[in-house]
Amino acid sequence: MTNPSPRMTTKEAAQFLTEFGFKTAPSTLGKRACLGGGPEFEKWGNLRLYTPEKLIEWAESRLKKCE
């Protein structure tokens, strides 16, 4: 069995992204979860759970290259 990625709540995910250099509020992740366009997540009861890999993938996909 492989080690699963740690999962984070919305608040923890926002803090993780902010610490990684992508300033994000928990309310932004909540809104994106409802309207679409946010990072992939899993549900555990009422909680949305995010993995670090999916958060970074989402944040990097939002970057725009300036030349």
Side-chain angles (χ1 to χ4, degrees), residues 10-49:
T10 301
K11 184 176 178 181
E12 294 166 334
Q15 182 178 354
F16 172 82
L17 285 169
T18 298
E19 290 173 359
F20 206 82
F22 300 103
K23 188 174 181 180
T24 308
S27 59
T28 300
L29 293 176
K31 182 177 180 180
R32 294 286 183 168
C34 292
L35 299 177
E40 186 178 311
F41 62 89
E42 299 171 306
K43 292 284 285 184
W44 176 263
N46 290 331
L47 292 176
R48 287 185 298 273
L49 298 175

